[in-house]
Amino acid sequence: MTETRERPRTGTHPTTTEGRRPNSTAIVLYLSLGGLSFAVLQSLVAPALSTIGRDLGASTSATSWVLTAYLLSASVLTPILGRLGDMVGKRKVLIVVLAVLLVGAVLAALAPNLGVLIVGRALQGAAGAVMPLSIGIVRDELPKERVSVTIGLLSAIFGIGAGVGIVAAGPIVEHLSWHWLFWLPAVLVVIALLGAVFGMPESPVRKPGRLDVAGTLVLGVALVAVLLAVSEGQTWGWGDVKTVGLLVLGGVALIAFVFVELRVAEPLIDVRLFAVRGVWTAHVVALVFGFAMFGTFVLVPTLLQLPTAVGYGFGKDVTQAGLFLLPTVVMMVIAGPIAGVLVRKVGPKVPLVLGGIAIVAAFVVPAVSHAEIWQVVLSGVLTGVAIGLALAACSNAIIESVPANQTGEAISANTVVRTIGSSVGTAVIAALITSHSTPQGLPTDDAFTIGFWACAGVGALALVGALVAPSVRARRAAAVRGGVTDLLEDAQ
């Protein structure tokens, strides 16, 4: 089937259906709000699970499905919706995604019982496609000189939103109620949705075709099996037959998915892209940073909230502990656009390497000693720098390595990889804390030391991936071979 021709990147934009020329700054604002709302919803609920469970009269294991349903939905639907964006138009699919997110947020805010809340969370997970769709729109619609910096900002926002969710959850629940955990992000979604409807043009950059149903089903089985095992492994037991069985099923299904995608004419995800060095190294970095980011969100608040009487806690309440993550969030805001500038000047490899160095240092500092509050704050600052640099560079590395009409599927795969890393990181750190606890159920000091060293070790893998990433010249040569034409002038 003939692919839709790419519009020349002249720095001018088509008019909207109302005849007005779209404002690129407004487009970035709407995309940022949509991304922020999705990212906030990803983490905002976690600190309030116990409150939600008590209010709805649900057990801890049942309440955990508020997170699990969201995670499974986002992982399965992100590649599907990203591919549909490439096929039928990114703006069209973004409008649908934001509408579903809004319905899910309102349904969760009004939920009278746990079942309705879980359904609302599953609907919210559909917005996992916001990031790949947004990056695709930026690539298609903005002048090329703004692409790398804007993608740096959007990539950072997804880390920022997760941090904001952790910080804001305590005050919202304390001063309002858990229902406002959904009402407040819904306001952002409404603005983003109106902006997508009335302020964005529809890009002609498409890859027409039919949805790969077989690949979709196999990938769905693989992701659900792996993520369900990781999410529930702590509850079931890592050696339990359900946990092991799901992990085996997920591994087999992932292998089957590769074979299916290599055989179909129009794959859901072109797995051949994983052979491109600029793509697979970005996936390695994203996987590790997903682990490290949520490792921070588990370790730091837990350490800060422990009573000072144990000798290594800081006696902060939930709200105060959340505020100590603000330096992390602020540094993400700063480092993301800086990464975009570096990408434009020297390519993605430099910010990837700098991010890898920063993430290792961020965990080595508290692993050596976390007896003083400044050590925890310094760790948070370095984590924010690392995440801002690396995630922005990952997205830029991918779009410089794949054709414009495959942006959605390529960034979707990266998003799913990072989600898997986040799930594994949360589960591993939680397991470490549980296995190193006092008879009273409090984590020991060793739990944090081991946890920080574990994150530092995993972070070293990100540094290795960054060092293996192609140089500017090698990436440019691969881009020419792969048919990437719209961003070549950026790779000087």
Side-chain angles (χ1 to χ4, degrees):
M1 189 172 292
T2 304
E3 296 182 355
T4 304
R5 182 179 298 174
E6 297 182 14
R7 183 173 64 253
R9 298 188 63 81
T10 61
T12 60
H13 309 291
T15 57
T16 62
T17 55
E18 291 79 10
R20 293 177 285 104
R21 189 178 299 277
N23 185 313
S24 59
T25 301
I27 290 175
V28 174
L29 174 62
Y30 301 140
L31 295 177
S32 299
L33 290 175
L36 182 63
S37 59
F38 164 72
V40 166
L41 284 167
Q42 184 179 23
S43 62
L44 192 65
V45 176
L49 279 182
S50 59
T51 301
I52 293 172
R54 286 195 304 270
D55 191 55
L56 297 179
S59 66
T60 301
S61 59
T63 307
S64 68
W65 276 93
V66 173
L67 294 180
T68 304
Y70 181 90
L71 174 68
L72 297 178
S73 173
S75 300
V76 173
L77 293 178
T78 295
I80 298 172
L81 294 168
R83 176 70 180 99
L84 285 174
D86 287 338
M87 288 168 51
V88 304
K90 301 174 185 70
R91 172 181 168 272
K92 288 187 180 73
V93 178
L94 180 64
I95 290 172
V96 172
V97 164
L98 290 173
V100 172
L101 176 58
L102 180 59
V103 171
V106 172
L107 187 63
L110 297 173
N113 55 57
L114 184 63
V116 174
L117 178 57
I118 290 173
V119 172
R121 290 289 287 169
L123 291 174
Q124 291 168 32
V130 168
M131 184 172 185
L133 293 170
S134 296
I135 289 176
I137 289 170
V138 166
R139 183 178 187 177
D140 296 346
E141 299 301 333
L142 266 61
K144 64 181 184 300
E145 63 271 12
R146 293 187 60 185
V147 170
S148 60
V149 176
T150 303
I151 288 177
L153 174 63
L154 291 178
S155 300
I157 279 173
F158 283 84
I160 293 164
V164 169
I166 298 292
V167 172
I172 290 174
V173 173
E174 181 180 350
H175 298 290
L176 298 170
S177 73
W178 65 262
H179 300 277
W180 285 92
L181 299 174
F182 305 106
W183 283 124
L184 294 177
V187 175
L188 301 180
V189 178
V190 169
I191 299 172
L193 179 58
L194 292 175
V197 172
F198 298 108
M200 291 185 197
E202 183 58 78
S203 170
V205 183
R206 301 180 193 173
K207 187 179 181 181
R210 291 179 297 181
L211 188 64
D212 173 21
V213 177
T216 298
L217 292 175
V218 175
L219 181 62
V221 170
L223 292 175
V224 169
V226 170
L227 292 172
L228 188 58
V230 171
S231 300
E232 299 297 322
Q234 183 70 19
T235 302
W236 295 341
W238 294 107
D240 186 87
V241 65
K242 295 191 293 295
T243 305
V244 175
L246 283 172
L247 288 174
V248 171
L249 173 62
V252 171
L254 283 174
I255 295 172
F257 175 72
V258 172
F259 283 102
V260 169
E261 298 303 271
L262 289 173
R263 292 176 177 273
V264 299
E266 298 171 347
L268 175 68
I269 296 176
D270 186 354
V271 295
R272 295 175 182 84
L273 293 177
F274 284 76
V276 178
R277 186 151 59 111
V279 174
W280 70 258
T281 51
H283 289 338
V284 169
V285 174
L287 179 72
V288 170
F289 270 81
F291 184 108
M293 184 165 66
F294 278 83
T296 297
F297 294 159
V298 173
L299 285 170
V300 172
T302 304
L303 175 62
L304 290 170
Q305 291 175 60
L306 284 176
T308 56
V310 300
Y312 47 88
F314 293 94
K316 308 297 181 183
D317 60 30
V318 174
T319 300
Q320 292 171 329
L323 290 175
F324 276 91
L325 291 175
L326 277 179
T328 304
V329 174
V330 170
M331 295 312 299
M332 288 183 203
V333 175
I334 297 172
I338 289 175
V341 173
L342 287 173
V343 167
R344 181 161 173 75
K345 298 292 184 183
V346 297
K349 183 167 185 172
V350 171
L352 281 176
V353 171
L354 292 175
I357 293 172
I359 199 64
V360 173
F363 289 109
V364 168
V365 168
V368 171
S369 175
H370 46 265
E372 303 292 336
I373 199 71
W374 68 264
Q375 295 164 331
V376 178
V377 173
L378 176 59
S379 173
V381 169
L382 290 171
T383 300
V385 170
I387 293 171
L389 289 174
L391 293 189
C394 279
S395 299
N396 276 293
I398 288 174
I399 71 163
E400 288 189 7
S401 303
V402 303
N405 55 26
Q406 290 184 288
T407 301
E409 61 179 291
I411 298 294
S412 294
N414 193 254
T415 303
V416 171
V417 166
R418 190 168 68 250
T419 300
I420 292 173
S422 300
S423 304
V424 173
T426 303
V428 168
I429 298 303
L432 283 173
I433 290 175
T434 301
S435 62
H436 294 79
S437 296
T438 66
Q440 294 75 31
L442 295 177
T444 64
D445 192 32
D446 286 344
F448 297 100
T449 300
I450 295 171
F452 287 128
W453 277 121
C455 288
V458 172
L461 297 178
L463 181 56
V464 171
L467 291 171
V468 175
S471 64
V472 173
R473 182 172 297 179
R475 191 183 300 276
R476 182 184 177 91
V480 172
R481 293 193 302 270
V484 182
T485 59
D486 60 322
L487 297 172
L488 285 181
E489 292 183 23
D490 287 338
Q492 298 298 328

